[in-house]
Amino acid sequence: MSSKPRRRTLAVVVALAVLLSGCSAASTPASPSGSTATRQVTDVEGTVVDVPASPQRIVTLSEPTLDGVLALGVTPVGTVSGRGQGTVPSYLADAAGDLAILGSVAQPNYEAIGAVDPDLILVDGTSVNNNPPVIEALRAIAPVVYTGYAGGDWRSNFLLVADALNLSDEGAAVVAAYDAKVADAAQQLSGYADDTFSIVRWQGNSASLILKELPPGQALTDLGLARPAAQDRNGRGHSEPVSLENLAQIDADHIFFGTLGGSSVDNATAGGSAGLDAAASALQSAAAVPGFTDLEAYRNDAIVLVDGSAWTSTGGPLLMNRIIDDVVAALT
């Protein structure tokens, strides 16, 4: 390791010690590493941040920011593991390649972040939420742009990512391409106007609902696909657990069914995976739960297995395009 990352790592440790001891610390972002030309970006909280005019060493600390950077054709120098996973989200594995993992969405590793010497850090409320000390610690490393809130519109989050990278035109083009794709897909799916669609994450022996504010829910809304009455609403920016006594709330004409294996956001090393094989295994477990085989979607063989890292988590335009492709493939 060069002396520069070592000095930066030490600065992070000192900054954290000050913050966590309750002392006051300056909130001025660190100067962009290795860059002289800067521009100002206003983040989602209204904070004006000086960022490199052409950032070269970007760190993404959430699934939506990683997704957004990759959608713009940019490879970050490091990221965090996907929700409930030990690596990048599995739906991004091919696009991301072999990235340095700098902690998890719930627990960024400050020393590892400092060691990759970033000149820009992107984060949002799906990973660091209502935790000013964490943001201040990150600002001791590099400029930080907070791009969106949990449950917020994915387009707004992504367009702020694009702005932070000085790629606003390219970002607008990505959104326009998605909207055109949705319009075409909605025409193909017009025959399902009277059907309802549920999105379920199954963990262990229990279900959680993905409601309308999360990206998969937004995708179904974009396609004009209706949700059952119990799901025709926004949630709190995360999946909503359903008790076994209320298992009927997950039912619909069709269920998109995924899992994140045995892991959770706070315990990504617990084992399990998020792909179709994991979803098939989770469905077998679900079928052993009293009441599950009574669901209309189960009796009508209308449960569609999906990759939980895309369908039961969060992300950006790559995730949204993946979901549209999955729906069209399953229903046409």
Side-chain angles (χ1 to χ4, degrees):
M1 182 185 298
S2 69
S3 61
K4 188 174 185 180
R6 289 183 184 276
R7 290 196 300 271
R8 190 173 294 277
T9 300
L10 179 60
V12 177
V13 174
V14 171
L16 279 172
V18 171
L19 285 166
L20 298 178
S21 67
C23 298
S24 174
S27 61
T28 303
S31 299
S33 173
S35 174
T36 55
T38 64
R39 50 188 290 272
Q40 290 188 326
V41 171
T42 302
D43 74 9
V44 72
E45 296 187 311
T47 303
V48 178
V49 186
D50 288 324
V51 302
S54 180
Q56 301 297 309
R57 301 188 60 79
I58 302 156
V59 162
T60 59
L61 298 183
S62 70
E63 292 138 319
T65 55
L66 173 61
D67 184 315
V69 166
L70 293 173
L72 292 164
V74 176
T75 302
V77 295
T79 191
V80 288
S81 58
R83 200 166 305 270
Q85 298 164 81
T87 61
V88 299
S90 59
Y91 83 94
L92 290 175
D94 290 341
D98 188 20
L99 291 181
I101 300 298
L102 310 175
S104 68
V105 288
Q107 296 179 317
N109 183 325
Y110 302 99
E111 290 194 32
I113 294 167
V116 299
D117 196 24
D119 59 5
L120 177 64
I121 297 173
L122 301 175
V123 69
D124 62 36
T126 68
S127 54
V128 176
N129 194 20
N130 298 323
N131 200 336
V134 171
I135 297 296
E136 292 304 313
L138 293 171
R139 285 178 175 150
I141 305 173
V144 175
V145 175
Y146 196 94
T147 65
Y149 301 112
D153 180 66
W154 72 268
R155 291 174 178 83
S156 299
N157 189 330
F158 170 65
L159 291 175
L160 189 44
V161 169
D163 186 20
L165 271 57
N166 206 5
L167 295 172
S168 291
D169 289 346
E170 291 83 349
V174 169
V175 173
Y178 168 80
D179 290 338
K181 181 175 191 172
V182 164
D184 178 67
Q187 286 188 337
Q188 296 182 59
L189 301 173
S190 59
Y192 290 91
D194 296 328
D195 289 12
T196 57
F197 295 82
S198 177
I199 309 173
V200 173
R201 180 169 71 201
W202 193 270
Q203 298 295 114
N205 289 314
S206 63
S208 294
L209 289 172
I210 305 298
L211 298 174
K212 295 179 72 174
E213 87 287 359
L214 292 173
Q218 292 179 36
L220 294 193
T221 298
D222 290 344
L223 290 168
L225 300 179
R227 308 297 296 272
Q231 301 175 36
D232 193 20
R233 58 188 173 87
N234 288 336
R236 299 180 179 180
H238 54 77
S239 61
E240 185 169 298
V242 176
S243 66
L244 295 182
E245 292 79 7
N246 296 313
L247 194 61
Q249 291 182 2
I250 76 171
D251 204 3
D253 293 316
H254 310 267
I255 296 177
F256 293 105
F257 184 96
T259 185
L260 291 178
S263 302
S264 67
V265 64
D266 295 316
N267 187 12
T269 62
S273 61
L276 296 181
D277 288 344
S281 178
L283 181 58
Q284 288 184 332
S285 297
V289 172
F292 190 89
T293 56
D294 295 329
L295 298 177
E296 181 179 355
Y298 184 88
R299 289 187 286 108
N300 293 336
D301 195 24
I303 294 180
V304 180
L305 301 180
V306 294
D307 182 343
S309 73
W311 274 85
T312 72
S313 191
T314 187
L318 297 180
L319 176 145
M320 298 300 292
N321 278 278
R322 164 68 180 272
I323 291 172
I324 301 303
D325 289 340
D326 286 350
V327 174
V328 170
L331 301 181
T332 61

